[in-house]
Amino acid sequence: MSAILQVSDPHFGTERAPVVQALVQLAQRLGPDLVVLSGDITQRARAPQFEAARRFMDQLGAPRLVIPGNHDIPLFNGWARLVRPYAGHRAAFGDELEPQFSSAGLMVLAVNTTRAHRHKNGEVSAAQVARVAARLAEATPAQLRVVVVHQPIDVQRPQDEPDRLIGHTAAQDAWAAAGADLVMGGHIHLPYVMPLPGLARPMWAVQAGTAVSHRVRPGAPNSVNLVRWHAAERACAVEQWDYAATEEVFVQVRVTRLQPAR
């Protein structure tokens, strides 16, 4: 079995210390093969916020795959936004903005959907779509194939439609045809798992809430996802873990079972 812990939108600078500690304890207990941090690492792309995020990730005890979100590009420093938009991210997590992870059971491919010229919206280019599709085609039958973006590739509520990834239609079509199983995202602080309709093979959007920030949505507490993959049975389970404030721990609240195609 392989396991991925998806952490998204921690917005360091707005983090809640008890939630951070509870998430560290959860990660150490679950022992995932990979931790995915799907963007909005910081609140305002400041060096101390990136440093706090790096210290947090170092405590989780697993390999990591980290991508920036729109909050991880300087907002008020115009020169830095245009000339060195990812300087803080690179200092904390390295130069690679689209990292990859591969193991016997997993292929996880990151896509940087942020753009310095866009304040909030995300975009995936034709070149990014093609690069990911080509890499997906190299996966083995035993690997769960996961693409990680920041902005959602699909949404459930009409009010979230403006936050949907620009270029999502071409990306969905190409990645499903190339064999992708899941597309992980964040950005809107709402956790859900939804099938993506009308594609060449089954593919699901897996969205995470905000992991540790006080910037939660009504009815959606701090949460993370754990994806478990049983290659032999081709069975995938997405577990949603919410923070329970009274006990100061994360508890499993939902399991969505998926059956990726062969």
Side-chain angles (χ1 to χ4, degrees):
M1 186 189 72
S2 302
I4 304 170
L5 178 63
Q6 183 192 9
V7 176
S8 198
D9 299 79
H11 288 277
F12 275 89
T14 67
E15 74 274 18
R16 303 166 60 202
V19 188
V20 171
Q21 184 57 37
L23 183 48
V24 169
Q25 292 171 353
L26 177 70
Q28 293 175 348
R29 178 160 62 89
L30 294 175
D33 299 281
L34 177 69
V35 177
V36 166
L37 177 48
S38 47
D40 278 358
I41 303 161
T42 67
Q43 178 63 11
R44 283 290 172 253
R46 293 175 179 144
Q49 295 170 1
F50 276 113
E51 291 163 4
R54 174 59 188 264
R55 289 193 298 271
F56 162 72
M57 292 295 287
D58 286 346
Q59 294 181 75
L60 301 188
R64 57 181 171 241
L65 183 147
V66 182
I67 62 169
N70 53 292
H71 276 259
D72 302 316
I73 298 175
L75 178 61
F76 301 114
N77 185 335
W79 180 87
R81 185 175 184 87
L82 293 176
V83 179
R84 301 174 67 241
Y86 301 108
H89 180 96
R90 287 188 161 112
F93 296 106
D95 289 333
E96 182 55 70
L97 299 177
E98 296 185 315
Q100 302 180 10
F101 176 87
S102 184
S103 68
L106 299 171
M107 175 182 280
V108 187
L109 309 175
V111 183
N112 177 19
T113 57
T114 64
R115 301 291 187 266
H117 65 277
R118 296 188 184 279
H119 168 59
K120 183 178 180 182
N121 294 109
E123 179 180 349
V124 59
S125 69
Q128 288 174 310
V129 170
R131 174 184 61 78
V132 169
R135 186 72 179 92
L136 287 166
E138 299 172 353
T140 70
Q143 288 178 309
L144 182 73
R145 287 149 282 190
V146 182
V147 182
V148 183
V149 296
H150 177 56
Q151 289 86 358
I153 200 163
D154 205 350
V155 296
Q156 293 184 319
R157 311 182 312 174
Q159 60 264 45
D160 296 322
E161 188 65 35
D163 292 308
R164 196 175 180 188
L165 184 64
I166 297 169
H168 57 82
T169 300
Q172 286 188 32
D173 290 344
W175 295 344
D181 300 306
L182 311 178
V183 181
M184 289 182 167
H187 186 60
I188 55 175
H189 298 192
L190 292 174
Y192 56 84
V193 179
M194 64 180 293
L196 301 172
L199 300 176
R201 70 193 296 278
M203 189 168 74
W204 291 266
V206 176
Q207 286 288 126
T210 173
V212 299
S213 173
H214 65 67
R215 301 178 70 240
V216 294
R217 305 298 188 203
N222 295 111
S223 68
V224 296
N225 293 326
L226 185 75
V227 176
R228 298 188 190 269
W229 167 240
H230 297 266
E233 294 83 18
R234 298 204 62 78
C236 180
V238 182
E239 303 173 4
Q240 181 181 326
W241 291 74
D242 286 3
Y243 180 70
T246 53
E247 295 88 2
E248 294 190 339
V249 296
F250 278 84
V251 296
Q252 186 188 106
V253 297
R254 184 174 294 108
V255 180
T256 304
R257 302 192 185 280
L258 311 175
Q259 194 78 41
R262 292 188 179 274

